[in-house]
Amino acid sequence: MAIERKSSARDPERPQTNRLIAEKSPYLLQHAHNPVAWFAWGDEAFAAARRADKPIFLSIGYSTCHWCHVMEQESFEDAEVAALMNEAFVSIKVDREERPDIDQLYMTVCQAMTGSGGWPLTVVLTPDRKPFFAGTYFPRESRFGLPGMLDLIPRIQAAWGERRNDLLATAEQVLAAVRQAPSAAGGEVTDHELQAAYQELANSFDDRRGGFGEAPKFPSPHSLLFLLRYGERHGEPRALEMVERTLRAMRRGGIFDQLGFGFHRYSTDRDWLVPHFEKMLYDQALLMVAYTEAFLVTGSSDYAATVREVAEYVRREMTDPAGGFYTAEDADSEGAEGRYYVWTEEQLRRVLDPESADLARRAYGVSPEGHLRSEDGTAGANVLHLEGTLAPEDVVRLEPVRQALFQARQERTRPHRDDKVLTDWNGLMIAALAMSARALDEPAHARAAMAAADFILRRMRTPAGNLLHRFRDGDAAVSGLLDDYAFLVWGLIELYETTFDASYLGHAVELNRRLVERFWDAEHGGFYLTGPDVLDLPVRRKEVHDGAVPSGNAVAMLNLLRLARLTGEAELEQRAARTARAFSGMVHRYPAGHTMMLVAVDLALGPCQEVVVAGIPGREDTRRLLAPLRRRFLPRLALLLRPTDEESPAITILAPFTVPLRDQGGSAAAYVCRDRHCGMPTTDPEQLLAMVTANE
């Protein structure tokens, strides 16, 4: 792999600007000095295209996208390419993270037209937003069968002038294909799909290296969450083995930042060694969830340590002073991918004394040859990873070595950080921090989750109470999408079960109600990605297939089931069942592509139980009852606290079935409830745990 790839040269001193200079998105601002006459997505651009009778050149990417930077430098900063674009098109830039609905629609178009997709995403549209050409990265000049912009633009311009009817027919055919609703078999999703998904994952598992499939290799944490549940349900040790081998290999590999912590986006090889170096907030969140649940299953201190390390990275580098979490860090710095992170043997020895340098070289797999080669042929750049097994005394000695290298690395030019706050990805991180707070007894994690939740609830809603998707530089904007509601509700549920602050459960209930009102497909079931007020797309789509993040429909279904058990509201469970039926055809065809939906199905299949602890919050007897439940992997358990020191606690309004549940003789008592019926109370933590685990 070559690391000396040029990234875009963005000079804030350049006087030339285009319309993007007025935007908030870091990605759009990166292109604000291009000679291309970029528009942001909006009515102004489409009106201009209609007036000029020109097609739309739509370019979608994000601020930490390496190949987006490459295409910018090669083409969008090039005067000749820009002149051709300005003559032939009205050009629009979209930040895929700011408008994931636009990205998802046209990525589906690209995959339908070309069989693949990626970023930068390039789509050419009619002025009424209908696509007739799609692709991803295009170089400035044609090479090796890949058309270059200098050849491609005149060809599209000529076709628009000479064969427009053919292009319009193509656009209609493509839109007709993507408009098709997901095929529903009309049946249930059952344990049969769970078993089929497990078998598909087992067949693609890399027994030697962990993970699934060939290079590039992605973490796929939601598949690991599914495997943990499948192993527990079916007593299948192989499922846990796949999870553990993957988690251990990733933590030891170059995909994990061994000095500053946090996970890079994916591994370019099968060994988890050489990553694509960007860091995304959602990867940190979902992998924290996976490592936390693996800790609950195994008790391994290694998994707990990884969770704490990722949380340390997020709090140190990705947290806004107001409480929200930033989006991502770039792979590039100083014009090269990975330069901030890699080390030569000589660089190690300049920082460390000889004995420490030898330890670092052995521990982190550093060699004179290195793992990467730059485009000029220079070798010697190493991706730090944990190589072999160290003696116990060397493990202790390695920590000050790591800290010294980390401090030295801080002097390097840092990669760009995308500092916008996204509601959906923040919801995932809130969930991860809340879960780890109670599993690892880390109050600081809970405080960080609460700060982020409070920030979003306070600053990222409309006056009517609906969610907004993006916050940056004091500005909250973009109508909230399904994932914003679903992921934030997930985070609020976890935050309630960690803090037992009923206001978080109340917000979850209210936002879930709005989610149903805004996104529910009353005719076919399931949820649309966009709300009824998003009118600037030609298609309103639904999605259930998991991507880099789990599908909003899957998380919404999981939330419905959990809220049904936390509140006793049966209608929520019925809607969850209809959601599963709406997508059953797709799940039947490819179970392993819908593992988060199957996590929800696992909960629906049960056996499920609710535990209500009636006691005084924070008192020792209450904590003693809660503690054993928080240290076990109990994925089908809902946990509530009914305060007994209040006359009418808020939880009794949200969950009326808790009203008659009281302490016993002044001591905290726990009630185990199943099938809308609560059993006799117990004040004994061991008896409570036995009652719960007997029902699992």
Side-chain angles (χ1 to χ4, degrees):
M1 173 189 172
I3 65 167
E4 195 68 38
R5 296 170 176 160
K6 294 180 180 179
S7 64
S8 58
R10 295 178 291 275
D11 181 0
E13 300 302 320
R14 283 180 293 180
Q16 170 187 276
T17 60
N18 55 50
R19 293 171 184 82
L20 301 185
I21 198 68
E23 296 297 314
K24 295 291 187 180
S25 160
Y27 178 62
L28 300 189
L29 290 170
Q30 286 171 354
H31 292 265
H33 298 281
N34 296 166
V36 178
W38 292 113
F39 286 79
W41 180 277
D43 292 339
E44 181 187 6
F46 296 107
R50 287 191 294 271
R51 284 195 305 270
D53 192 29
K54 292 180 180 181
I56 298 287
F57 183 95
L58 174 63
S59 178
I60 303 176
Y62 54 104
S63 76
T64 58
C65 166
H66 173 72
W67 286 103
C68 300
H69 301 335
V70 173
M71 191 168 176
E72 180 191 10
Q73 190 212 25
E74 289 181 343
S75 295
F76 303 145
E77 292 186 337
D78 181 82
E80 187 176 358
V81 173
L84 289 175
M85 290 179 64
N86 294 340
E87 171 63 27
F89 305 120
V90 168
S91 298
I92 295 178
K93 262 290 173 191
V94 167
D95 181 342
R96 67 170 291 260
E97 295 165 352
E98 190 172 71
R99 286 298 303 268
D101 51 339
I102 299 173
D103 174 64
Q104 187 185 89
L105 171 60
Y106 291 111
M107 183 62 72
T108 303
V109 165
C110 183
Q111 291 166 339
M113 297 182 75
T114 70
S116 63
W119 298 279
L121 176 61
T122 303
V123 187
V124 183
L125 318 174
T126 67
D128 55 354
R129 302 169 173 83
K130 297 178 180 178
F132 61 84
F133 175 86
T136 53
Y137 162 78
F138 293 100
R140 180 181 185 272
E141 298 169 339
S142 300
R143 59 174 184 252
F144 305 116
L146 182 63
M149 294 288 283
L150 293 177
D151 295 326
L152 184 63
I153 297 167
R155 283 163 44 191
I156 295 176
Q157 185 178 27
W160 181 253
E162 300 166 8
R163 297 188 293 105
R164 186 175 306 189
N165 288 339
D166 293 340
L167 300 183
L168 296 178
T170 297
E172 291 296 343
Q173 291 169 3
V174 171
L175 276 184
V178 300
R179 277 194 184 103
Q180 291 180 352
S183 173
E188 303 292 331
V189 182
T190 68
D191 187 57
H192 173 78
E193 282 69 41
L194 271 61
Q195 295 183 48
Y198 167 73
Q199 196 57 58
E200 289 176 0
L201 291 171
N203 291 342
S204 66
F205 184 68
D206 185 336
D207 281 293
R208 187 169 75 83
R209 307 168 184 86
F212 304 93
E214 306 290 332
K217 190 174 280 183
F218 290 82
S220 303
H222 26 292
S223 292
L224 304 181
L225 305 184
F226 163 75
L227 286 171
L228 288 172
R229 285 156 179 77
Y230 185 87
E232 185 266 349
R233 173 179 289 278
H234 287 278
E236 176 52 74
R238 169 80 167 148
L240 179 58
E241 178 187 335
M242 288 192 283
V243 172
E244 290 209 80
R245 188 164 297 179
T246 301
L247 293 179
R248 288 172 178 162
M250 287 195 299
R251 173 57 184 84
R252 296 180 63 83
I255 194 174
F256 188 78
D257 178 358
Q258 302 293 336
L259 301 185
F261 308 143
F263 285 92
H264 299 296
R265 180 67 197 94
Y266 60 83
S267 177
T268 63
D269 55 27
R270 295 182 64 181
D271 295 315
W272 304 107
L273 176 59
V274 180
H276 177 43
F277 286 91
E278 68 181 315
K279 291 181 177 179
M280 313 301 291
L281 180 66
Y282 60 75
D283 283 320
Q284 316 311 318
L286 292 167
L287 284 165
M288 279 183 67
V289 173
Y291 279 92
T292 297
E293 292 198 344
F295 165 73
L296 291 173
V297 172
T298 66
S300 169
S301 60
D302 290 343
Y303 301 147
T306 302
V307 172
R308 292 187 175 100
E309 289 165 347
V310 176
E312 178 182 330
Y313 161 71
V314 170
R315 295 202 309 273
R316 184 186 70 236
E317 305 291 353
M318 301 291 283
T319 304
D320 186 88
F325 301 111
Y326 299 140
T327 295
E329 287 193 301
D330 208 332
D332 297 12
S333 59
E334 298 183 277
E337 179 177 2
R339 175 169 284 169
Y340 180 75
Y341 297 101
V342 299
W343 292 78
T344 64
E345 188 170 335
E346 180 185 353
Q347 287 172 327
L348 285 182
R349 296 193 182 282
R350 284 205 300 263
V351 173
L352 303 170
D353 63 73
E355 184 178 358
S356 296
D358 285 340
L359 174 59
R361 182 181 53 79
R362 288 186 288 109
Y364 292 130
V366 174
S367 68
E369 299 78 19
H371 309 112
L372 304 174
R373 184 175 297 276
S374 66
E375 290 183 353
D376 64 6
T378 305
N382 292 267
V383 180
L384 302 191
H385 62 288
L386 296 178
E387 181 124 329
T389 303
L390 294 175
E393 59 271 21
D394 284 340
V395 173
V396 174
R397 291 173 54 220
L398 186 61
E399 177 55 20
V401 171
R402 180 196 69 79
Q403 292 181 14
L405 291 174
F406 174 71
Q407 291 302 321
R409 195 180 75 178
Q410 293 286 80
E411 301 302 315
R412 298 177 177 179
T413 300
R414 289 192 60 85
H416 158 73
R417 181 175 61 194
D418 188 323
D419 61 356
K420 65 178 178 289
V421 175
L422 300 175
T423 297
D424 51 353
W425 297 5
N426 271 250
L428 295 176
M429 183 52 69
I430 291 165
L433 287 166
M435 291 175 68
S436 63
R438 64 177 183 266
L440 306 181
D441 193 20
E442 286 284 357
H445 293 197
R447 290 194 293 271
M450 293 167 67
D454 293 346
F455 173 81
I456 292 172
L457 293 169
R458 183 178 69 254
R459 300 294 302 275
M460 298 186 69
R461 289 198 290 185
T462 67
N466 293 324
L467 288 176
L468 294 167
H469 174 64
R470 184 269 294 150
F471 181 94
R472 185 175 185 271
D473 194 23
D475 177 67
V478 185
S479 182
L481 304 169
L482 171 63
D483 289 6
D484 294 307
Y485 285 82
F487 295 177
L488 182 58
V489 169
W490 180 11
L492 293 170
I493 292 172
E494 299 295 351
L495 201 46
Y496 167 72
E497 291 201 343
T498 297
T499 66
F500 296 115
D501 182 338
S503 69
Y504 292 120
L505 183 58
H507 285 302
V509 169
E510 169 60 17
L511 289 173
N512 190 74
R513 181 188 66 78
R514 290 174 183 265
L515 182 154
V516 171
E517 289 179 352
R518 293 178 58 76
F519 303 101
W520 180 250
D521 179 353
E523 182 178 358
H524 301 290
F527 298 96
Y528 291 109
L529 174 65
T530 54
D533 53 344
V534 177
L535 305 175
D536 56 0
L537 290 172
V539 177
R540 194 180 185 199
R541 286 181 50 79
K542 293 187 290 186
E543 183 59 72
V544 70
H545 186 278
D546 295 323
V549 296
S551 85
N553 267 283
V555 175
M557 177 180 166
L558 186 63
N559 292 340
L560 287 165
L561 292 166
R562 294 182 69 185
L563 289 173
R565 288 167 172 81
L566 286 165
T567 66
E569 179 53 64
E571 188 275 334
L572 299 175
E573 196 171 76
Q574 295 164 8
R575 195 176 297 275
R578 192 174 175 202
T579 301
R581 287 194 294 271
F583 300 107
S584 60
M586 300 180 71
V587 178
H588 291 326
R589 284 196 296 274
Y590 183 28
H594 302 84
T595 49
M596 198 66 184
M597 176 68 74
L598 296 180
V599 167
V601 170
D602 173 80
L603 177 59
L605 293 176
C608 299
Q609 50 199 329
E610 300 80 51
V611 171
V612 182
V613 173
I616 298 176
R619 206 169 70 177
E620 178 60 25
D621 56 342
T622 304
R623 290 200 301 268
R624 286 178 61 246
L625 281 174
L626 294 169
L629 302 181
R630 294 183 158 193
R631 304 293 185 271
R632 297 288 293 265
F633 181 62
L634 299 167
R636 292 177 289 279
L637 177 74
L639 185 59
L640 301 95
L641 176 65
R642 191 242 190 263
T644 55
D645 58 343
E646 301 177 37
E647 187 65 32
S648 299
I651 193 63
T652 60
I653 307 299
L654 295 165
F657 74 94
T658 65
V659 170
L661 307 183
R662 303 287 181 172
D663 58 23
Q664 297 294 298
S667 296
Y671 297 78
V672 179
C673 311
R674 294 189 67 193
D675 301 324
R676 313 276 189 253
H677 172 74
C678 297
M680 297 298 293
T682 179
T683 59
D684 183 346
E686 292 185 8
Q687 184 182 22
L688 171 60
L689 186 59
M691 293 164 63
V692 168
T693 54
N695 290 332
E696 280 288 305

